[in-house]
Amino acid sequence: MRLDKLLAQEKISRKTMKQALLKKEILVDGQVAISLAQNVDTGLQELIFQDRKIQGYEHIYLMLHKPNGVVTASKDKDLPTVMDLLPQPLQSNQLYAIGRLDRDTTGLLLLTDNGPLGFQLLHPQYHVDKTYQVEVNGPLSFDHIQQFKDGIVFLDGTVCKPAKLKILSVSSTESRASITISEGKFHQVKKMFLSVGVKVTALKRVQFGDFTLDSELVEGQYRSLNQEELQIIKNYLTKSG
Ligand code: URA
């Protein structure tokens, strides 16, 4: 949450906040706050205002193993959504997914009620890498690796940033690979493979930035982020100031 919003919840006036900021009386994890607009999460960071610890609100951060057949949305009139996989008390929080997966894509999805964090991680400026395991309906070759490295061009002329393709197995009717991209264009991975002449038949996200899909989570299961993963969030928040 923005620092000014957090302090306003504590009934601190804007004037007092501004004075405290100028006097360097606001500390986030021991560092002098630089702006009232900076994002602070009191669940992850210690916030001191004029020598007083501010407890604030602890955000929710979940890792979900998205199954096939559910949509990445809060509500859908026809189809089950990722939110339907959570128990009712969690559903009543304003949670949303960081980065959309197609209905038939499985794998790692982060859910949070920390809006600014999602915005940051999805913002092109941060180039968060995403890795997918892919199955396609034809052969892949070393030429493809080079094409992905050079930047795939979609049929409509859209140019993609360089992507890293690793081929895991090849046959004339089915190949398996992993692909790492740093963008989030709509249906990006499927369109990239279509541009080189093969169709994606299965897609699973296994990595999002520094987060790895927990192999113990079966499809449809979720868990709260652990201490190590919360530290990753903290690093992202610190990076962006
Ligand atoms: N690329 C796709 O084509 N689909 C997804 O769900 C994610 C990335």
Side-chain angles (χ1 to χ4, degrees):
M1 189 182 288
R2 274 173 58 125
L3 182 54
D4 50 2
K5 290 218 173 109
L6 222 153
L7 294 174
Q9 284 180 348
E10 300 289 316
K11 309 270 179 274
I12 296 167
S13 73
R14 187 138 194 106
K15 191 174 161 201
T16 311
M17 289 177 210
K18 281 185 177 169
Q19 284 169 347
L21 187 77
L22 284 176
K23 289 191 196 159
K24 303 189 190 323
E25 289 172 344
I26 311 178
L27 302 179
V28 180
D29 270 352
Q31 302 291 312
V32 174
I34 44 170
S35 154
L36 291 176
Q38 80 186 67
N39 282 301
V40 178
D41 183 341
T42 47
L44 304 169
Q45 296 167 309
E46 186 186 62
L47 174 60
I48 305 285
F49 183 86
Q50 295 178 327
D51 295 328
R52 176 164 72 92
K53 185 170 166 161
I54 305 288
Q55 227 55 43
Y57 169 78
E58 294 198 9
H59 283 292
I60 300 168
Y61 301 100
L62 307 175
M63 176 185 290
L64 171 75
H65 187 163
K66 180 191 170 297
N68 192 342
V70 301
V71 291
T72 311
S74 312
K75 273 193 201 127
D76 191 281
K77 61 180 170 41
D78 302 314
L79 299 165
T81 74
V82 289
M83 298 307 164
D84 294 331
L85 298 167
L86 306 177
Q88 203 59 45
L90 274 175
Q91 284 187 29
S92 51
N93 290 284
Q94 286 232 307
L95 292 181
Y96 70 97
I98 305 182
R100 212 187 140 272
L101 291 177
D102 294 339
R103 184 174 154 200
D104 57 357
T105 301
T106 61
L108 172 56
L109 198 61
L110 297 176
L111 302 170
T112 183
D113 61 350
N114 184 353
L117 176 79
F119 176 76
Q120 266 164 242
L121 293 185
L122 295 176
H123 197 283
Q125 174 190 344
Y126 292 97
H127 302 294
V128 172
D129 280 350
K130 290 132 232 165
T131 300
Y132 296 83
Q133 286 174 357
V134 196
E135 284 173 27
V136 296
N137 68 350
L140 290 173
S141 69
F142 287 107
D143 282 351
H144 290 127
I145 295 177
Q146 193 56 47
Q147 280 175 277
F148 276 78
K149 198 170 165 188
D150 292 342
I152 293 287
V153 182
F154 290 162
L155 300 175
D156 67 1
T158 306
V159 182
C160 298
K161 293 217 169 82
K164 200 165 163 188
L165 178 67
K166 274 193 208 156
I167 300 175
L168 304 173
S169 70
V170 178
S171 82
S172 58
T173 54
E174 187 184 270
S175 303
R176 289 188 316 110
S178 87
I179 175 167
T180 302
I181 58 173
S182 61
E183 307 167 275
K185 298 188 198 301
F186 194 46
H187 299 318
Q188 178 155 353
V189 175
K190 290 175 183 165
K191 282 179 161 177
M192 285 171 120
F193 281 96
L194 277 180
S195 303
V196 299
V198 289
K199 182 172 159 35
V200 169
T201 52
L203 188 58
K204 176 179 182 179
R205 182 156 69 191
V206 290
Q207 188 97 33
F208 182 93
D210 293 329
F211 297 96
T212 304
L213 177 64
D214 183 340
S215 57
E216 307 233 314
L217 281 181
V218 297
E219 284 190 22
Q221 271 188 339
Y222 75 94
R223 66 160 171 77
S224 298
L225 294 192
N226 60 33
Q227 283 308 315
E228 231 170 89
E229 292 158 341
L230 289 175
Q231 183 60 43
I232 298 173
I233 301 258
K234 198 168 158 176
N235 294 343
Y236 281 122
L237 288 170
T238 317
K239 244 191 260 173
S240 69

